[in-house]
Amino acid sequence: MRLALAEAEQAVASGDVPVGAVVLSPDGTTVLASGHNEREATGDPTAHAEILALRRAAASVGAWRLTGCTLVVTLEPCTMCAGALVQSRVDRVVYGARDEKAGAAGSLWDLVRDRRLNHRPEVVEGVLAEECARLLTGFFRDR
């Protein structure tokens, strides 16, 4: 999560919401890819940290299936990112701060654990939650 937090801090320079993500290899020892929000920097509404990290991880391993991998992200994924997590077949999602307004991994919705879907990653929430929330709260307070 500390790597994801460092990634999130990079988003602030371009005025993006500070969310960072990393994708870990199946054994958890290697960072396959990372990303931070780049919506403002690129003008791309899909440039969320999770989407960018998943794209880069898939390119790194040469396959769209990220079976066995873990995505670590500072903020609970939204519906778009939760859908991408299910589609990429990651085994585990670890997030820091809950998102009561748009979270889709347990807060507002629970898309990633919906029994009707063919893949349901494990969800671990609240890792360094206070630090993750503090970064976001500070960003919005300053704006």
Side-chain angles (χ1 to χ4, degrees):
M1 186 61 74
R2 296 240 181 257
L3 294 173
L5 277 163
E7 190 71 33
E9 290 174 1
Q10 295 181 44
V12 177
S14 61
D16 279 287
V17 176
V19 176
V22 296
V23 177
L24 302 174
S25 63
D27 66 5
T29 62
T30 305
V31 174
L32 298 176
S34 62
H36 57 270
N37 279 357
E38 295 182 18
R39 292 182 307 169
E40 297 295 335
T42 64
D44 178 356
T46 68
H48 287 206
E50 300 97 319
I51 299 294
L52 297 173
L54 290 171
R55 285 179 186 158
R56 292 169 185 159
S60 172
V61 300
W64 64 268
R65 284 183 186 88
L66 298 174
T67 306
C69 294
T70 298
L71 180 117
V72 180
V73 61
T74 57
L75 180 65
E76 180 181 358
C78 68
T79 53
M80 175 181 69
C81 295
L85 291 164
V86 170
Q87 292 300 314
S88 69
R89 309 298 196 268
V90 297
D91 278 15
R92 192 170 306 96
V93 180
V94 177
Y95 72 84
R98 287 176 64 93
D99 186 348
E100 300 293 339
K101 293 182 180 180
S107 291
L108 188 57
W109 294 288
D110 199 352
L111 180 66
V112 295
R113 290 179 284 205
D114 189 316
R115 295 181 145 275
R116 296 169 291 183
L117 299 175
N118 64 334
H119 179 73
R120 291 180 298 280
E122 173 189 1
V123 177
V124 178
E125 65 177 89
V127 176
L128 297 180
E130 289 181 22
E131 281 187 58
C132 294
R134 192 172 25 250
L135 182 61
L136 289 158
T137 302
F139 173 80
F140 288 112
R141 184 181 52 242
D142 292 346
R143 291 190 70 137

